[in-house]
Amino acid sequence: MKTPETSAQQDRFGSLAELRDAHNALLSRISEESLTSEDEEQIQEFLEKAAAAGTLFDSAADRRQAQGLLDYWVTTQYVQARESAKDQGSVPRLPRAQTRLARFDTATVGEATENADRLIQSFSAADQELARRVLLRLTELDAETEEVRTAPTARSSLEVLGDPNIVRTIIDGLIGAGAVKRMGGDPGSAAEQLSLANEALLRVWDWLKQWLEQRIRFRDTVNYWVHHARSEGALIRGVLLDEARTFHDLNDREREFVERSRNAEISQTQRLRKSRNRFRALFIVALLLLIAGIGLAWHASVKGAEAVAALAREKAARASEKEARDTAVQKADLYQEENQRYAALLEESRQIVGFYQKEYDTSTPDSPFQMSIEAFQQNLGAMAWVHSSQGGAERVPYDADFLGISVPLPELTRDLKDDAYDSGRPLGYFHYSLVFHRKRRTAIYTACNYDRTKAIRVRHGPDNFRFDSYIAKEYQHGAAAYVDNDFDRGHFVSRLDVLWDRPGSLTDEAVQSAVNTYANTTPQYEMFNRGLWARIEDWVRTKHNPKAERVTIFTGTVFRDDDYSYRYSKDGGWSNAPESRTAKVARSFWKIVVSCHAAGSREPTVDAFLADQYSSVDPTTPKDNPFDWNAFDASAYQIRVADIEELTGLDFGELAECEPWYATSRTTQMKP
């Protein structure tokens, strides 16, 4: 029995693809020599359904293709009619309704989008995600271009996307709204074919347009990765990777990108797991040391108590008065109770060790106990740095006269001083100083001295980040701000900036620990931190005024009220709970590098840079900053020092008076 829905579908083709399929089928059935009466009936039916399908086509390109197919069969029928009417002297004309596409029906599509909008908005966040996956499965992105088309799909292929009962409810709701239609098969059966009700929905329905744009952005990300030699820094992880794995229409490059991203994520997880095991090993070793200490204390206490008790009893035996004897015995009992408490604590500690011995294999070289030795060695340098830094033994802060000319630290405005930690007092570290923003929990700026002639290269050790001992913990973002998201711990001052003229008492790990503090890092998208920003850092160290032996580098943040706010829980990961913390993720970062123009010169040469890690339109996605690593055009990101002053509220004094010192360069020199 025909329902109004199926009747309407049978009166017209439901999509351009369906129209093309019908055209090809008709070509294969009809003889090229002459048309039979049955052929004429089939052509007539095709013309009626094709013309009526014009109500679904909103784009000029689709309408041109559809009209072309219509014209072909109109001509075919006209030629046949002309041959048949030679004796009659006239050829009957076909009605316009069979030769021209009907006008696009905006009312039908508009009603469908309104109904579908209300349906999607009524869903929970989890059901909206399922609806997204269902609708994207009914579309297909061309393997090479950005053309999107409808893709009829069996109901069974949709129900595997989530809870089948919920998926069925979503599908039936979309059918009722007019956004999805039935194409064939028993309604509700696994073999039932479903499709978007109208190709125009690809272009006019905002929900679907937004989801398709995300799909196309993923294609752009993969193309960027391919263009940049398949750099590991461009791979994705976490939520973005999970979303990419749901796309059914990946091309070969996209499948390779997803596979490599997955492998990189697994490797990172394994490294984190190994790090946690080492932490557990450290805890066990510390526990063993504690037990040993308790044992020694207990032993000493027992010996002491025994001696005191013996002495007390001897005195009591010699005492002639009952009070003296009672006092001595009471003291001996107190010492015995103390020994019993030590014994109980020692036994409890032994039970804890026994638990860990059962939980972790201690018989192999890779056991936590064995790995603890390596972990201790890796952390000795960092521990030595923390210990020495408390007393300032190895701190060599920023030197304003490092270049042979005075380059003082920038001045803060009154508002910045109010928001800065310790009223903006510079905190001194190893070859650099830092001024910290207590409200934004990140650096306002850093100032670093770098000697190219003494630079050394060492292996990159494990990145063990720690809270800065100069700044209270509540003002710093810890590890939780970087869990389950796409943010790197972006350094203001990197280890390469300070690896020169190192005191012999400091290990490589200690120097790395000097910059691996949460005060010296800020959330930066991985693609930005390891891509454009890393290239600017490299240019500053190696390309700025190449003949200069010493350079001074300022790095900082542009604070805006509309910077992206990312909320995270104390254990990491996005959270909207009342107790969660907010990380204001800055959009823009700047650098200023200063050197002497030539050996013995007192004229400074200055370069200034500004780079954005995301756009003001979509802060949740890193900005695509395409560049050639081997042919980097620094001028594309250079600005004036005065511009940085205006954006930040900092005052760099005479540096802001710089202007170009030769026409073909953005490098600047102090005015005479």
Side-chain angles (χ1 to χ4, degrees):
M1 176 177 139
K2 287 186 181 180
T3 64
E5 176 190 354
T6 58
S7 177
Q9 291 176 14
Q10 291 177 354
D11 291 338
R12 68 187 179 197
F13 295 116
S15 67
L16 184 59
E18 188 178 341
L19 192 156
R20 282 195 294 258
D21 291 342
H23 165 75
N24 293 330
L26 202 56
L27 280 175
S28 64
R29 286 199 305 267
I30 292 179
S31 170
E32 296 181 359
E33 299 178 1
S34 62
L35 299 179
T36 65
S37 59
E38 183 181 353
D39 292 338
E40 290 181 1
E41 290 178 2
Q42 291 179 357
I43 293 174
Q44 189 68 23
E45 181 183 358
F46 174 90
L47 292 175
E48 292 173 356
K49 294 177 69 173
T55 60
L56 306 179
F57 304 144
D58 65 320
S59 75
D62 289 353
R63 293 186 69 83
R64 280 194 300 271
Q65 288 188 51
Q67 186 63 54
L69 298 178
L70 196 64
D71 291 342
Y72 176 88
W73 291 108
V74 168
T75 303
T76 300
Q77 197 170 50
Y78 175 82
V79 170
Q80 175 67 19
R82 187 179 62 183
E83 293 294 326
S84 301
K86 281 182 178 179
D87 297 334
Q88 301 176 9
S90 63
V91 179
R93 298 187 63 182
L94 294 174
R96 179 179 176 83
Q98 297 177 17
T99 62
R100 305 299 298 172
L101 286 176
R103 292 182 180 275
F104 173 65
D105 185 2
T106 57
T108 300
V109 177
E111 182 180 2
T113 58
E114 290 176 4
N115 293 338
D117 279 343
R118 285 192 292 270
L119 177 70
I120 298 295
Q121 289 166 2
S122 70
F123 289 162
S124 66
D127 289 350
Q128 285 182 0
E129 170 60 16
L130 262 183
R132 180 190 72 85
R133 297 177 68 178
V134 166
L135 288 165
L136 288 182
R137 187 63 183 81
L138 294 174
T139 67
E140 186 177 60
L141 179 64
D142 184 82
E144 298 301 329
T145 69
E146 293 185 358
E147 179 188 358
V148 181
R149 51 184 173 265
T150 59
T153 305
R155 180 185 282 264
S156 59
S157 298
L158 300 176
E159 290 181 353
V160 299
L161 299 177
D163 185 320
N165 293 325
I166 298 177
V167 173
R168 279 193 287 270
T169 301
I170 290 172
I171 291 173
D172 293 340
L174 291 170
I175 291 173
V180 172
K181 65 182 179 183
R182 295 184 169 96
M183 296 285 292
D186 294 333
S189 68
E192 180 185 17
Q193 291 291 311
L194 301 169
S195 174
L196 281 181
N198 194 325
E199 286 189 340
L201 293 173
L202 297 172
R203 292 174 285 275
V204 301
W205 186 16
D206 289 338
W207 282 92
L208 186 55
K209 283 170 58 181
Q210 173 188 333
W211 292 331
L212 289 173
E213 286 169 1
Q214 292 173 353
R215 173 66 183 92
I216 293 172
R217 277 203 299 270
F218 173 70
R219 170 71 58 80
D220 293 339
T221 299
V222 174
N223 290 338
Y224 175 89
W225 172 70
V226 172
H227 181 68
H228 290 83
R230 289 171 163 77
S231 168
E232 185 175 349
L235 298 176
I236 58 177
R237 294 172 179 81
V239 176
L240 289 178
L241 178 57
D242 292 340
E243 179 183 16
R245 295 175 70 191
T246 67
F247 298 144
H248 71 96
D249 51 359
L250 300 174
N251 61 24
D252 292 340
R253 293 188 302 274
E254 290 172 324
R255 279 190 287 273
E256 180 187 359
F257 179 84
V258 169
E259 182 65 23
R260 290 202 185 184
S261 294
R262 179 60 179 154
N263 291 337
E265 186 179 61
I266 292 173
S267 297
Q268 183 182 45
T269 302
Q270 290 173 343
R271 288 195 299 270
L272 289 173
R273 186 179 295 117
K274 186 175 181 181
S275 177
R276 285 194 292 268
N277 287 339
R278 287 176 176 174
F279 174 79
R280 293 191 185 102
L282 283 173
F283 170 77
I284 294 170
V285 171
L287 183 62
L288 290 173
L289 293 175
L290 175 63
I291 293 170
I294 292 173
L296 291 174
W298 177 55
H299 179 74
S301 177
V302 168
K303 293 300 182 181
E306 288 175 352
V308 172
L311 181 61
R313 289 192 176 94
E314 183 180 349
K315 290 176 64 177
R318 291 198 304 265
S320 58
E321 298 179 2
K322 183 177 182 301
E323 181 179 357
R325 287 196 304 271
D326 290 344
T327 300
V329 171
Q330 184 179 7
K331 288 182 178 180
D333 291 341
L334 286 175
Y335 279 113
Q336 186 151 353
E337 289 176 7
E338 187 71 17
N339 290 335
Q340 289 173 351
R341 283 196 295 272
Y342 272 112
L345 180 59
L346 183 59
E347 180 59 29
E348 182 179 354
S349 301
R350 285 173 176 164
Q351 291 176 3
I352 294 174
V353 171
F355 167 77
Y356 276 97
Q357 287 174 330
K358 291 178 182 178
E359 287 292 317
Y360 300 101
D361 180 18
T362 62
S363 61
T364 64
D366 292 331
S367 70
F369 281 96
Q370 295 297 327
M371 288 191 297
S372 67
I373 298 173
E374 180 185 351
F376 268 127
Q377 292 172 340
Q378 290 177 348
N379 285 279
L380 277 176
M383 293 163 63
W385 168 261
V386 174
H387 174 73
S388 64
S389 67
Q390 298 296 333
E394 302 292 358
R395 292 184 182 268
V396 186
Y398 173 77
D399 181 2
D401 298 320
F402 179 73
L403 300 179
I405 58 175
S406 179
V407 184
L409 295 174
E411 293 290 332
L412 277 63
T413 62
R414 172 50 56 190
D415 289 343
L416 267 180
K417 283 186 178 180
D418 290 342
D419 292 337
Y421 190 80
D422 199 8
S423 299
R425 180 178 66 87
L427 307 176
Y429 301 89
F430 188 58
H431 292 322
Y432 75 99
S433 293
L434 179 150
V435 175
F436 195 77
H437 199 299
R438 57 186 175 85
K439 291 185 177 180
R440 293 291 294 262
R441 299 191 178 98
T442 191
I444 297 173
Y445 73 83
T446 58
C448 172
N449 301 129
Y450 180 59
D451 191 328
R452 289 168 170 166
T453 64
K454 298 180 180 179
I456 57 176
R457 296 282 181 177
V458 298
R459 66 178 181 84
H460 191 294
D463 281 323
N464 299 315
F465 287 85
R466 60 183 175 83
F467 286 103
D468 192 305
S469 58
Y470 269 1
I471 302 170
K473 283 187 179 180
E474 62 264 26
Y475 295 123
Q476 302 179 61
H477 289 304
Y482 301 93
V483 175
D484 291 338
N485 56 42
D486 298 317
F487 296 127
D488 270 354
R489 296 168 175 85
H491 287 84
F492 289 95
V493 176
S494 75
R495 69 189 189 97
L496 296 179
D497 296 332
V498 298
L499 276 174
W500 61 272
D501 194 27
R502 182 183 66 201
S505 60
L506 286 183
T507 63
D508 296 343
E509 289 79 7
V511 175
Q512 187 162 315
S513 180
V515 297
N516 280 359
T517 69
Y518 289 114
N520 184 44
T521 57
T522 191
Q524 287 184 339
Y525 278 115
E526 179 182 298
M527 183 182 296
F528 173 78
N529 180 48
R530 305 184 189 189
L532 174 61
W533 192 243
R535 190 62 186 90
I536 291 175
E537 289 179 321
D538 180 72
W539 192 96
V540 163
R541 280 191 298 267
T542 61
K543 304 297 184 184
H544 161 81
N545 194 9
K547 294 182 179 180
E549 296 182 350
R550 291 186 168 195
V551 296
T552 285
I553 306 168
F554 296 97
T555 307
T557 312
V558 177
F559 299 114
R560 295 184 175 91
D561 293 337
D562 63 348
D563 280 339
Y564 174 40
S565 294
Y566 172 77
R567 296 181 66 84
Y568 63 92
S569 68
K570 65 178 181 178
D571 299 320
W574 185 90
S575 172
N576 204 26
E579 67 274 10
S580 62
R581 300 184 74 179
T582 298
K584 292 282 282 185
V585 180
R587 170 163 42 113
S588 306
F589 299 92
W590 56 266
K591 272 188 181 291
I592 298 174
V593 54
V594 187
S595 62
C596 286
H597 174 52
S601 170
R602 297 190 60 80
E603 295 180 350
T605 297
V606 181
D607 279 309
F609 294 86
L610 182 73
D612 291 351
Q613 66 167 328
Y614 60 80
S615 71
S616 58
V617 177
D618 183 12
T620 62
T621 303
K623 185 176 181 181
D624 185 9
N625 289 302
F627 67 90
D628 186 341
W629 187 275
N630 297 318
F632 179 62
D633 181 11
S635 65
Y637 305 95
Q638 286 181 304
I639 62 172
R640 300 179 307 149
V641 175
D643 296 328
I644 293 178
E645 286 186 328
E646 184 175 350
L647 287 169
T648 62
L650 297 172
D651 182 358
F652 284 90
E654 292 184 348
L655 291 184
E657 298 299 320
C658 295
E659 60 185 19
W661 66 282
Y662 59 88
T664 59
S665 173
R666 298 291 296 272
T667 307
T668 54
Q669 179 184 12
M670 198 77 77
K671 284 183 178 179

